[in-house]
Amino acid sequence: MKVNLIQRWHAVASWTWDAQDETCGICRMAFDGCCPDCKLPGDDCPLIWGACNHAFHLHCILKWVNSQTSQAHCPMCRREWQFKG
C-alpha cells in the first residue's frame, strides 16, 4: 500500500475590515488602504467605530472631532459622536 505525503504547501490569505462601507466617510479613501495622512496601510491607520456603528480611519475621525467647536457629531448620521467601547 502506497501512502502519498504532501510535498509542498502554498497558503494564501487575505483580510478586510468588517465595516458597513468600503470607504471612509470623511476622506473617501478605501478602508483596505490608508488615510491621506499615512503612506502605507497597517497598524498606524486602523479603523475606529462609533457607537452609531459608522467606521472611519483613526486619523480622519480624530481630525473631525478636534475640528468641532461644540460637541462632535458623526459625519454620517449626525448623532453625538462616541467611540464604540
Side-chain angles (χ1 to χ4, degrees), residues 43-61:
D43 294 337
D44 291 339
C45 197
L47 295 192
I48 299 295
W49 278 262
C52 59
N53 284 326
H54 287 115
F56 305 95
H57 292 115
L58 171 64
H59 300 128
C60 295
I61 194 63

Side-chain angles (χ1 to χ4, degrees), residues 51-82:
C52 59
N53 284 326
H54 287 115
F56 305 95
H57 292 115
L58 171 64
H59 300 128
C60 295
I61 194 63
L62 288 177
K63 277 186 186 177
W64 176 268
V65 167
N66 291 331
S67 72
Q68 304 299 298
T69 55
S70 60
Q71 176 63 43
H73 293 87
C74 173
M76 301 298 284
C77 66
R78 306 304 296 160
R79 285 178 49 190
E80 182 179 320
W81 178 259
Q82 295 178 350

